[in-house]
């Protein structure tokens, strides 16, 4: 195991601490966020992720490189310039929101632990979340929600990699008002995001059957995502879309 050492281009490592009023109790609360785009530049074989209290995971640098690449390819075909984040929640989940005129997509540590190196499944998930943004499902959902969401993101560098001069710790802060962090979408919106997400994955050069791989792993692990329920009807629709397009 290696602790992360930054190269010259990755001089700052940012952990985002999220304080948020959650619209629905089913929303998995993410206390910390990390930026794979930054961590992909690590000079070491793996990255030790830390929040403001402790080390929470050690992730291979190649995973950050791969996910950053997948996100860029999905963004290119969806037309959404989504900033990709990794969330500290241990529950497998994914989310998308807009704040300060920017789009964000996040996966949880629980999702990383569930999927490992299943790149095609990640492409399907990121495509699904981009579809929610592209189809403006979050904006439509606002009319169904009883309260808006206000988030304060505190940027803080909590790099555990040590150098001869001691711990490399850099701190900075920023505030972003988020308009909507993921909550329950309607069934029709989930089906639409599944369809468009599968097409995005295919157009980006990935196997669209990654969507089925994702649902199979969720079901076999016994996980139930309130924001992304895996149902027999949903899987049948995915299979029908694959057959329709000859995939």
């Amino acid at each position: 195991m290696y602790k992360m050492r930054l190269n010259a281009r990755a001089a700052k490592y940012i952990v985002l601490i999220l304080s948020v009023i959650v619209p629905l109790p089913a929303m998995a609360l993410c206390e910390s966020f990390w930026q794979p785009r930054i961590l992909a530049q690590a000079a070491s074989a793996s990255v030790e992720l830390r929040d403001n209290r402790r080390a929470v995971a050690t992730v291979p640098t190649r995973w950050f490189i791969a996910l950053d690449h997948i996100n860029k390819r999905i963004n290119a075909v969806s037309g959404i310039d989504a900033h990709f984040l990794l969330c500290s929640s241990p529950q497998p989940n994914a989310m998308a929101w807009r704040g300060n005129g920017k789009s964000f997509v996040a996966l949880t540590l629980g999702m990383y632990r569930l999927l490992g190196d299943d790149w095609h499944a990640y492409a399907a998930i990121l495509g699904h979340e981009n579809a929610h943004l592209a189809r403006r499902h979050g904006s439509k959902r606002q009319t169904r929600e009883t309260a808006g969401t206000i988030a304060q993101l505190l940027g803080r560098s909590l790099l555990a990699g040590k150098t001869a001069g001691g711990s490399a710790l850099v701190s900075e802060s920023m505030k972003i008002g988020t308009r909507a962090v993921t909550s329950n979408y309607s069934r029709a919106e989930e089906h639409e995001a599944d369809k468009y997400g599968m097409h995005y994955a295919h157009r980006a050069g990935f196997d669209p059957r990654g969507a089925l791989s994702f649902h199979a792993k969720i079901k076999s692990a016994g996980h139930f995502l309130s924001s992304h329920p895996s149902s027999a009807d949903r899987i049948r629709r995915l299979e029908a879309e694959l057959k329709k397009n000859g995939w």
Side-chain angles (χ1 to χ4, degrees), residues 4-14 35-44 47 61 157 159 168 170:
M4 176 184 174
R5 291 180 300 168
L6 295 180
N7 60 24
R9 289 187 303 164
K12 292 184 179 181
Y13 167 72
I14 299 175
Q35 298 186 74
R37 179 181 61 83
I38 300 297
L39 301 183
Q41 301 176 47
S44 55
V47 177
T61 303
S157 171
L159 174 62
V170 183

Side-chain angles (χ1 to χ4, degrees), residues 8 14 29 33 51 53 57 61 70 84 99 102 104 118 122 134 143 172 185 198 208 232 237:
I14 299 175
L29 181 63
F33 286 93
D51 60 15
R53 299 183 300 275
T61 303
I70 294 169
F84 176 54
K102 297 180 180 180
F104 296 89
D118 192 341
Y122 288 119
T143 61
E172 70 178 79
Y185 294 102
M198 187 179 285
R237 286 172 178 265

Side-chain angles (χ1 to χ4, degrees), residues 99-149:
N100 271 17
K102 297 180 180 180
S103 297
F104 296 89
V105 169
L107 298 182
T108 64
L109 275 175
M111 191 72 82
Y112 157 70
R113 291 175 177 131
L114 178 70
L115 298 182
D117 291 346
D118 192 341
W119 311 126
H120 301 290
Y122 288 119
I125 295 168
L126 293 179
H128 178 99
E129 296 303 324
N130 272 35
H132 279 312
L133 294 167
R135 306 302 294 174
R136 301 183 64 82
H137 292 163
S139 297
K140 296 173 184 177
R141 189 179 66 242
Q142 283 185 314
T143 61
R144 302 192 302 270
E145 295 178 347
T146 59
T149 299

Side-chain angles (χ1 to χ4, degrees), residues 26-28 89 91-95 106-108 110-111 182 225-228:
M27 167 64 187
S89 172
Q91 298 301 316
N93 216 331
M95 59 206 75
L107 298 182
T108 64
M111 191 72 82
T182 190
L225 282 67
S226 60
S227 58
H228 297 76

